Amino acid sequence: MSTQIIAHLPGTFYRTPSPDAPAYKEVGDAVSEGDVVGLIEVMKSFHELRANVSGTVKAFLVSSEEAVMPGQPLVEIE
């Protein structure tokens, strides 16, 4: 059974904390509840996107730097 992490804000999704940093998580990585898996940037303000369950990252459903809308699935955790 898998769970999706949903965008809670409209903005731009980022998988890294900065352009030169590694991604918070990659497909296949273990994730614990509360781990940061990405950021949503809204008007120069960055909001952490945290896992709501523990498991393994199955897929990123959007690309880094892609515009997202509230309610849009971003990450699938199995």
Side-chain angles (χ1 to χ4, degrees):
M1 182 172 172
S2 63
T3 300
Q4 294 177 333
I5 299 174
I6 307 295
H8 54 285
L9 298 165
T12 304
F13 175 72
Y14 292 95
R15 290 185 54 200
T16 63
S18 66
D20 299 333
Y24 287 107
K25 296 291 180 184
E26 297 287 349
V27 172
D29 283 354
V31 62
S32 298
E33 185 175 351
D35 283 356
V36 176
V37 297
L39 299 172
I40 296 177
E41 184 261 324
V42 181
M43 299 180 70
K44 308 287 185 198
S45 178
F46 291 85
H47 303 268
E48 293 178 337
L49 183 68
R50 295 184 178 272
N52 50 3
V53 297
S54 297
T56 302
V57 177
K58 183 177 179 185
F60 285 90
L61 306 174
V62 296
S63 300
S64 195
E65 301 183 32
E66 185 173 331
V68 297
M69 295 301 294
Q72 183 176 355
L74 304 178
V75 184
E76 191 167 338
I77 296 176
E78 188 171 62

